[in-house]
Amino acid sequence: KVFFDTLLALMLGVFVSTALQFSLLRYWLMRRSGNRDICYYNERCYYPAPGIELPVNNMISHIGYIIAGLHTFAQTVYAQAHCDSYISEKSRRINISPFYAIAFSFVAEGVGSMCYHLCPSISTFQFDTCFMIPIAHLCTVALIDWSKVPRKDHAEAALKYFLFIIVPIWLFNFIGTWFDTNLWWYLLDETPAEVYYTAWTVAVVLWSLFGVTAALDRLLDRPFGWDRRLRLFLKGFITVVLLLSIWPSARAGSGGTANTYLVLSIIVMMVVNMRKVYMLEFRQEMWTRTTCGQAAIKFSYVAVWIAISIFALKYFLDKVSDVSSSGTPATNHDENKPCIFSVFDEHDLWHALSAVGLALNAMFLLDVKVYAWAREHQAGDEEMKSLSSSSSDSEASSSEDQ
């Protein structure tokens, strides 16, 4: 745990310093040259702070991510303490350590997105999605039963996942952004650029065939037949999407490299988590009117979560600026829209609502994890009681025989 916390702190420190320096450099170039087309702002809803030419309205809207991280952290601490108060000598302690990392990532996403909005552009968009992708991955592994992994191997498993999954995604995302902005073709002659592009595509293909498929084998480890089919489907789907992302036209149509990896990570998260929720909740209950009513009450906030997510997605799709690989300053100005709530535009509402949606998503996964542990804990206690009662009966019968 100490190792993983240190690794996360190092990641955030390096990420924030790099993102902030790069974004401030582009912002300084815009101010120095007087060319406001360097940063793709929503000029129709741009409110700088007194004495600072920065879009403060876009900065304030990121506070929701920090609050979501603190809320998830507090819920995780409470759940850990509450479950620990019920364990006995024979009980297994609940492991919800991934939720601490999820809370940490929410805060990091707020900081990274804030850096991006200092000077929005296709080259800085990678900082906006840099922690969105790990959030999706952490939510994917949140419901894994870590008791099957020896405690001494937790740090090794975290390091392997970071080195073989997260780091390649960040690296391919970073290099792919250079191709999205045609930077390689401007800096190099056509032949060397083609060589580098070919090397990048080969690396993506090899990683998708070996690294990603191995990770899916760890996520879907049950021997059921439909699990094997699901595993094959996900492997094929991920491989096809990554192969298509090699083509510039397909990558541009999906919004660039960063969006491609983000959407792919979200789809995998949804599929894996739906399977996990089914395994931990629906397969464990004897469904009657009473149990259905109890489930509706304890997960009543899911309806609010879905409604908020729908509205957040609506505001996300209603673009207020054109930050894409095919976007230009002219198309960006055409996309600009006025504020719709005080000094906030539709994208600011996306920030606020998506932060609430992320917090509710983490809350739902944490509840599923705790309820599953509680059922197992209760079953274990009942088994221990039955064993103790049976041993007492046998002792009593033997004493009577004597």
Side-chain angles (χ1 to χ4, degrees):
K1 185 177 184 301
V2 174
F3 172 81
F4 194 53
D5 292 343
T6 305
L7 181 63
L8 280 175
L10 178 63
M11 288 165 51
L12 181 60
V14 174
F15 164 71
V16 170
S17 60
T18 304
L20 194 58
Q21 288 181 48
F22 190 76
S23 299
L24 285 175
L25 175 61
R26 290 186 62 86
Y27 171 76
W28 178 83
L29 289 174
M30 181 198 72
R31 293 294 305 276
R32 185 67 179 268
S33 64
N35 181 12
R36 292 187 64 84
D37 288 336
I38 294 178
C39 302
Y40 286 27
Y41 294 120
N42 179 15
E43 302 288 357
R44 299 181 65 184
C45 187
Y46 183 91
Y47 286 89
I52 304 177
E53 188 66 23
L54 287 174
V56 178
N57 52 332
N58 295 146
M59 303 293 107
I60 295 175
S61 63
H62 291 88
I63 295 178
Y65 294 111
I66 299 175
I67 296 175
L70 296 176
H71 175 264
T72 302
F73 179 80
Q75 278 196 316
T76 306
V77 171
Y78 174 77
Q80 186 76 67
H82 191 68
C83 293
D84 287 348
S85 65
Y86 284 96
I87 61 176
S88 59
E89 295 181 357
K90 300 295 183 179
S91 300
R92 178 178 60 87
R93 190 170 185 261
I94 188 172
N95 188 330
I96 50 178
S97 55
F99 290 93
Y100 291 105
I102 290 173
F104 187 88
S105 297
F106 286 169
V107 177
E109 170 55 28
V111 175
S113 185
M114 195 178 296
C115 292
Y116 159 71
H117 283 85
L118 285 173
C119 182
S121 64
I122 187 63
S123 57
T124 57
F125 183 66
Q126 56 189 308
F127 303 132
D128 192 22
T129 60
C130 191
F131 265 90
M132 289 184 186
I133 295 173
I135 286 173
H137 284 245
L138 289 169
C139 290
T140 303
V141 302
L143 296 180
I144 289 180
D145 186 3
W146 290 96
S147 64
K148 297 179 179 179
V149 181
R151 190 172 183 81
K152 62 183 180 63
D153 295 336
H154 284 186
E156 181 182 354
L159 181 61
K160 286 182 178 180
Y161 194 80
F162 174 73
L163 289 177
F164 300 125
I165 301 297
I166 300 299
V167 169
I169 287 180
W170 279 350
L171 185 61
F172 295 146
N173 187 9
F174 182 59
I175 297 176
T177 301
W178 297 348
F179 292 117
D180 293 340
T181 57
N182 295 321
L183 181 62
W184 280 108
W185 317 108
Y186 291 133
L187 296 179
L188 303 172
D189 294 333
E190 184 173 351
T191 301
E194 291 289 349
V195 172
Y196 285 121
Y197 189 79
T198 302
W200 177 71
T201 57
V202 170
V204 171
V205 172
L206 292 177
W207 174 71
S208 63
L209 291 177
F210 296 101
V212 177
T213 54
L216 284 175
D217 289 337
R218 294 292 298 272
L219 288 174
L220 304 171
D221 55 354
R222 292 296 184 93
F224 300 112
W226 67 278
D227 272 352
R228 287 194 291 269
R229 291 191 292 270
L230 179 62
R231 184 186 305 175
L232 290 174
F233 167 76
L234 282 177
K235 287 181 179 180
F237 176 74
I238 292 173
T239 303
V240 169
V241 171
L242 291 176
L243 288 175
L244 290 176
S245 68
I246 293 173
W247 302 100
S249 58
R251 199 166 60 249
S254 63
T257 303
N259 269 336
T260 301
Y261 285 107
L262 175 60
V263 173
L264 185 60
S265 299
I266 292 175
I267 292 174
V268 173
M269 176 197 71
M270 293 175 63
V271 173
V272 173
N273 278 343
M274 283 191 293
R275 168 194 175 268
K276 288 288 186 181
V277 170
Y278 171 77
M279 300 288 295
L280 295 175
E281 280 292 325
F282 294 98
R283 289 185 74 246
Q284 304 299 326
E285 292 281 1
M286 296 297 293
W287 291 103
T288 62
R289 290 183 179 180
T290 302
T291 55
C292 288
Q294 291 173 347
I297 292 174
K298 70 181 182 181
F299 293 124
S300 57
Y301 59 87
V302 172
V304 179
W305 170 32
I306 294 174
I308 289 176
S309 300
I310 292 173
F311 277 103
L313 186 60
K314 172 186 178 299
Y315 288 124
F316 175 75
L317 296 176
D318 291 339
K319 302 293 185 182
V320 297
S321 59
D322 185 16
V323 184
S324 64
S325 57
S326 59
T328 63
T331 59
N332 176 62
H333 291 307
D334 292 338
E335 293 283 351
N336 289 171
K337 296 178 182 178
C339 303
I340 63 172
F341 178 74
S342 183
V343 296
F344 302 108
D345 58 22
E346 294 179 349
H347 196 70
D348 294 324
L349 293 182
W350 148 254
H351 291 157
L353 293 176
S354 63
V356 176
L358 286 174
L360 291 175
N361 176 51
M363 180 178 173
F364 173 72
L365 295 177
L366 182 60
D367 283 349
V368 170
K369 184 84 170 181
V370 170
Y371 290 141
W373 177 87
R375 280 192 295 268
E376 180 184 345
H377 174 73
Q378 183 179 9
D381 286 349
E382 292 176 353
E383 183 179 355
M384 290 299 297
K385 289 179 181 178
S386 64
L387 289 175
S388 61
S389 62
S390 61
S391 62
S392 300
D393 293 341
S394 61
E395 290 176 1
S397 59
S398 62
S399 61
E400 290 177 358
D401 294 339
Q402 292 176 358

